[in-house]
Amino acid sequence: MLEIILWIAILHVLSLLTLPLADRMGIRGLSKVLGLIFLTYIVWLISFLVDFRSATIYGFMLAVTIGSLIWLNDANRISSNFRSLMVDFLKFEVVFVVFFFIYIFYEMFNPYVVGAEKMTDIAILTAITKSKGMPPYDPFLSGYRLDFYYYMGYVSYAIMTILSATTTHISYNLACATVFSLTLTSIVWLVSKSREKIVVPFLLLAGNLMTLKMLIAGEISKAFDFWTVTRVIKGTINEFPLATLFFRDLHPHFMSIPIQIAFIVALYMWMKDERKSTAVLMAFLLGFMFTVNSWDFFTYSFLYITISIALRRFYALAFLPLSIVPFLPFHLTLKTTAVKGIGFVSERTDLISFVIAQPLVILPLIYSFIQERKIFACVLALSIPIAFIFKFPVIVITLPTIAVFLKKFYDERSFEHALTLTALLLLTAVEIVYVNDAYSGEIERLNTVFKSYVQAWILLSFGFTYPNYSHERIYKLATICLLAILWIYPIGCALGLPTLGFKGTLDGIEFTKTYGEYNALKFLYGLSGVVVEYPGKTPYESYTYAGRVSSYTGLRSVLCNGGHELFWRFFNNETVKVLNERWRDIKEIYESKDLNYTLLRKYNVSFIYIGYLEKKNYKINYDKFSKLPKIYDDGKVVIYKVIYPKS
């Protein structure tokens, strides 16, 4: 419980430090998000000079100093509305805490950090807390760094882990609760300022139509299954915000959600109340987005540039260097070997799957038909033959809707039209091109659709628009009916929560007691170095329990999670060779008759771990390890410390 109190208290402090800045820009409700971003950036810069733990302490002290100076500098302005400012601050701090504990309660039914990307996520998070500099070291491949990946989101929660004096076994779940709470608190604040946005949270937290499809088919168990509802379009992943929030992968696309929403809220306020400082902030947020989840950068940059030009606020374009220059250390150390460029889509989405995966497009479609029937009908007539000729069925929905929203945006320059238009253009674009990464064949656009669909859902939620004139009632009725269907998924998931069983803990690795490894992993958590552990049945194994030592301790493994390494470093011709060689060497270390110091020196091994998987998969010659000091032995796990003989 102490960790939770410290965690929340630190977030309160960060929120308070940036409150004057947020108030100056008219976005008080974003002070906590901004505070976390502000601290993350400072610590990240310092960590290029010193170890991460020290950087966190120095960075926090510097952030408090800068925040205090901001308060002093703004004292005269703040004093005139201090009571109002603090009432708002306290009110939304309470809102944040309520959402935080709601999510904590949810996590106590499902706290374990295992499955999908969770072991990868906690490994990176833990590695950052132990890193001696930036980019952080790669916990899965000793001697390498995470210089190919957007890691800044993990930096935020590694900082929080250190400041709250907890372990990543607990902080992983606290981080997920923070993402959820930041997301909803920002939305609630926006709704409090603009009641017409009351529909936004209901759209954002809705499910897709796959649940209805499964229920009609009589497959009730699949209707609320994450893997079923997020695998709608062949060869792709179709997550939506609620599924992502429920699933608890502390992955970049998950951690970026509150940052996307902070940008959208700031944009909304800037369009209503022009302040240059808000434009400066948005430009900086674009740069921060790139380091958290690079996919978001391009979509929101397009939105920022489009609105700046449409509103003739050209000065905002001059702030765009703030999205690059402050983050040069990241860009200069980034090696995107797994991305070759842009490819053209070979197999497009069928119309039914598109609507099932992105049901929010139904609302702008109806809106377009109601508002501009002639334009809608003409463009629809044009799009139908195009859809047949080029096998491009989605265009039947997107092209007429885009045409109407282009006209509406040109006429009205509204926030809602801009967001919906951006979402529709994005959904159309991923039917034409994809980012050419390590995926190929039927799954060539898996990542592109995956990341783009989450963005599009968020944009469509905030872009919800009421039509004018007499058809408003019809539109409201259609919206209510759609929401009633889409909310079957979240309600069903909530009702099914007790079936998971209440665990009553936030310890993400408590389940390892089943394998008799919990205490051993806790023991290693406080140590640093390179560990030898079982890497899997092949050099390319991922998404299994193999690699649990590096994942849950942050120790650098000679090799594990090879499938991810192959993907991350795919176009490096040495990757396959390196993985195969290390896999063979690990087997040799465990099974050889004599202790092979040459191999141990090759990887600068500090510890040899013998636990559940090693005993199960290797014919271990224990006699040779008698030469090494045994630093842990509880009858189920043995850990040796490697002491090298003097040359």
Side-chain angles (χ1 to χ4, degrees):
M1 189 65 181
L2 180 60
E3 304 99 330
I4 298 176
I5 293 170
L6 278 172
W7 186 281
I8 292 174
I10 292 162
L11 288 172
H12 285 335
V13 170
L14 295 179
S15 183
L16 195 61
L17 290 175
T18 53
L19 187 59
L21 285 177
D23 181 53
R24 186 179 285 275
M25 290 182 276
I27 48 175
R28 291 179 185 176
L30 299 183
S31 63
K32 196 179 299 294
V33 181
L34 300 185
L36 186 57
I37 291 171
F38 174 54
L39 176 62
T40 300
Y41 181 73
I42 292 173
V43 171
W44 173 69
L45 284 181
I46 297 173
S47 64
F48 279 92
L49 306 174
V50 299
D51 67 275
F52 189 81
R53 187 167 290 271
S54 298
T56 297
I57 304 304
Y58 299 150
F60 185 68
M61 292 168 62
L62 183 57
V64 170
T65 302
I66 294 171
S68 301
L69 291 173
I70 291 171
W71 271 92
L72 288 172
N73 183 62
D74 253 9
N76 291 333
R77 183 185 64 84
I78 291 172
S79 61
S80 62
N81 67 335
F82 181 76
R83 189 174 184 280
S84 166
L85 182 65
M86 294 313 297
V87 167
D88 252 15
F89 171 74
L90 293 172
K91 183 167 56 179
F92 288 99
E93 291 302 298
V94 170
V95 170
F96 174 85
V97 169
V98 169
F99 284 131
F100 189 87
F101 277 103
I102 288 172
Y103 199 86
I104 288 292
F105 178 72
Y106 161 70
E107 287 185 306
M108 286 189 173
F109 286 91
N110 184 28
Y112 301 142
V113 185
V114 65
E117 299 290 354
K118 292 176 183 63
M119 286 177 66
T120 300
D121 295 328
I122 196 172
I124 297 173
L125 182 65
T126 311
I128 290 174
T129 66
K130 297 184 175 185
S131 281
K132 301 298 182 185
M134 288 288 135
Y137 66 75
D138 187 339
F140 303 130
L141 202 64
S142 61
Y144 289 80
R145 288 191 173 271
L146 293 170
D147 51 8
F148 50 80
Y149 202 55
Y150 26 78
Y151 56 79
M152 194 71 85
Y154 299 102
V155 171
S156 295
Y157 299 109
I159 292 168
M160 291 296 299
T161 302
I162 292 170
L163 291 178
S164 59
T166 187
T167 65
T168 52
H169 309 150
I170 301 291
S171 71
Y172 181 99
N173 284 314
L174 298 181
C176 291
T178 303
V179 170
F180 177 80
S181 307
L182 289 174
T183 297
L184 292 191
T185 303
S186 298
I187 294 172
V188 170
W189 182 83
L190 179 64
V191 171
S192 75
K193 300 301 172 186
S194 178
R195 295 302 169 87
E196 66 184 25
K197 295 298 175 191
I198 190 65
V199 182
V200 170
F202 293 98
L203 293 171
L204 188 75
L205 298 179
N208 63 20
L209 289 171
M210 196 63 175
T211 298
L212 180 64
K213 180 182 176 182
M214 291 296 103
L215 289 174
I216 292 171
E219 299 187 68
I220 298 174
S221 61
K222 288 186 177 181
F224 304 100
D225 173 58
F226 172 83
W227 299 103
T228 301
V229 299
T230 60
R231 301 302 189 273
V232 180
I233 300 169
K234 182 182 176 183
T236 70
I237 297 173
N238 315 118
E239 284 190 28
F240 45 93
L242 183 70
T244 304
L245 292 167
F246 272 0
F247 195 58
R248 296 174 44 256
D249 271 359
L250 193 64
H251 223 48
H253 72 285
F254 172 78
M255 293 183 284
S256 76
I257 291 174
I259 300 167
Q260 291 182 60
I261 289 172
F263 181 91
I264 290 170
V265 172
L267 179 66
Y268 177 77
M269 298 308 294
W270 183 60
M271 292 182 73
K272 282 187 67 176
D273 182 11
E274 183 180 356
R275 304 186 193 192
K276 289 186 178 181
S277 57
T278 310
V280 170
L281 171 67
M282 288 190 294
F284 182 82
L285 283 177
L286 288 173
F288 194 81
M289 277 183 191
F290 191 96
T291 64
V292 173
N293 184 35
S294 301
W295 300 83
D296 301 335
F297 173 81
F298 304 99
T299 301
Y300 289 97
S301 291
F302 171 83
L303 185 61
Y304 178 85
I305 292 168
T306 299
I307 290 179
S308 298
I309 294 172
L311 298 181
R312 299 185 179 276
R313 298 178 186 177
F314 300 111
Y315 65 83
L317 301 178
F319 300 140
L320 280 173
L322 290 173
S323 67
I324 303 294
V325 176
F327 303 96
L328 279 176
F330 179 87
H331 296 291
L332 294 174
T333 55
L334 184 65
K335 300 173 184 177
T336 53
T337 54
V339 178
K340 291 196 296 186
I342 300 296
F344 288 97
V345 173
S346 57
E347 185 176 348
R348 297 189 174 94
T349 308
D350 67 90
L351 204 57
I352 294 174
S353 296
F354 176 69
V355 175
I356 290 173
Q358 280 287 335
L360 298 194
V361 298
I362 294 171
L363 296 177
L365 182 71
I366 296 171
Y367 173 90
S368 300
F369 177 73
I370 291 173
Q371 292 292 91
E372 300 287 347
R373 293 187 185 184
K374 287 183 179 179
I375 294 175
F376 185 91
C378 290
V379 179
L380 178 62
L382 179 65
S383 64
I384 290 172
I386 294 175
F388 278 104
I389 294 169
F390 295 100
K391 296 181 180 178
F392 198 157
V394 167
I395 207 170
V396 173
I397 289 177
T398 60
L399 196 59
T401 315
I402 286 171
V404 172
F405 271 82
L406 269 174
K407 180 184 183 301
K408 300 297 288 185
F409 180 63
Y410 180 82
D411 292 341
E412 301 175 23
R413 305 291 198 273
S414 83
F415 167 83
E416 292 78 13
H417 293 143
L419 265 62
T420 301
L421 184 58
T422 301
L424 292 167
L425 288 170
L426 179 62
L427 292 171
T428 306
V430 298
E431 296 297 317
I432 302 170
V433 295
Y434 67 95
V435 175
N436 191 358
D437 52 25
Y439 292 120
S440 59
E442 289 186 353
I443 58 171
E444 63 185 10
R445 63 187 188 126
L446 182 147
N447 244 341
T448 305
V449 170
F450 176 16
K451 304 301 167 52
S452 300
Y453 268 41
V454 175
Q455 295 171 22
W457 193 294
I458 293 170
L459 290 168
L460 288 169
S461 298
F462 281 87
F464 175 80
T465 311
Y466 284 111
N468 300 323
Y469 317 124
S470 59
H471 296 290
E472 186 175 342
R473 286 186 180 180
I474 298 172
Y475 188 68
K476 281 183 177 179
L477 181 61
T479 303
I480 292 168
C481 290
L482 181 63
L483 281 173
I485 294 169
L486 300 185
W487 266 73
I488 294 172
Y489 177 74
I491 292 170
C493 288
L495 293 175
L497 197 58
T499 62
L500 298 175
F502 187 71
K503 312 299 188 303
T505 181
L506 289 177
D507 190 340
I509 71 163
E510 191 184 66
F511 77 96
T512 60
K513 290 177 180 178
T514 305
Y515 303 100
E517 299 190 310
Y518 179 82
N519 292 328
L521 295 171
K522 287 287 186 181
F523 171 79
L524 284 175
Y525 184 85
L527 304 179
S528 296
V530 177
V531 66
V532 176
E533 64 172 311
Y534 174 69
K537 292 181 180 179
T538 73
Y540 321 115
E541 187 163 313
S542 285
Y543 303 110
T544 69
Y545 188 52
R548 79 283 194 205
V549 180
S550 62
S551 290
Y552 298 137
T553 69
L555 293 175
R556 288 163 285 162
S557 183
V558 173
L559 170 66
C560 64
N561 209 13
H564 280 71
E565 293 292 345
L566 187 64
F567 179 87
W568 289 334
R569 306 176 192 277
F570 188 77
F571 294 108
N572 180 342
N573 293 327
E574 295 296 310
T575 304
V576 173
K577 178 183 175 183
V578 168
L579 299 183
N580 287 336
E581 182 180 357
R582 291 191 178 214
W583 188 83
R584 288 193 299 267
D585 287 347
I586 291 169
K587 185 178 175 67
E588 173 73 13
I589 288 169
Y590 281 111
E591 296 188 341
S592 63
K593 182 178 180 181
D594 298 313
L595 196 58
N596 193 328
Y597 281 105
T598 302
L599 283 183
L600 295 174
R601 285 184 192 276
K602 180 178 177 181
Y603 302 110
N604 195 25
V605 172
S606 309
F607 309 104
I608 297 173
Y609 185 94
I610 302 177
Y612 171 75
L613 290 177
E614 291 72 26
K615 293 174 182 177
K616 183 180 178 182
N617 293 282
Y618 291 126
K619 297 175 182 178
I620 300 172
N621 179 2
Y622 288 92
D623 292 339
K624 66 187 173 190
F625 293 124
S626 61
K627 300 175 184 178
L628 301 176
K630 191 185 293 184
I631 61 171
Y632 185 90
D633 185 358
D634 63 1
K636 295 181 178 179
V637 175
V638 180
I639 303 170
Y640 296 95
K641 182 174 175 59
V642 179
I643 304 294
Y644 295 97
K646 294 181 180 179
S647 302

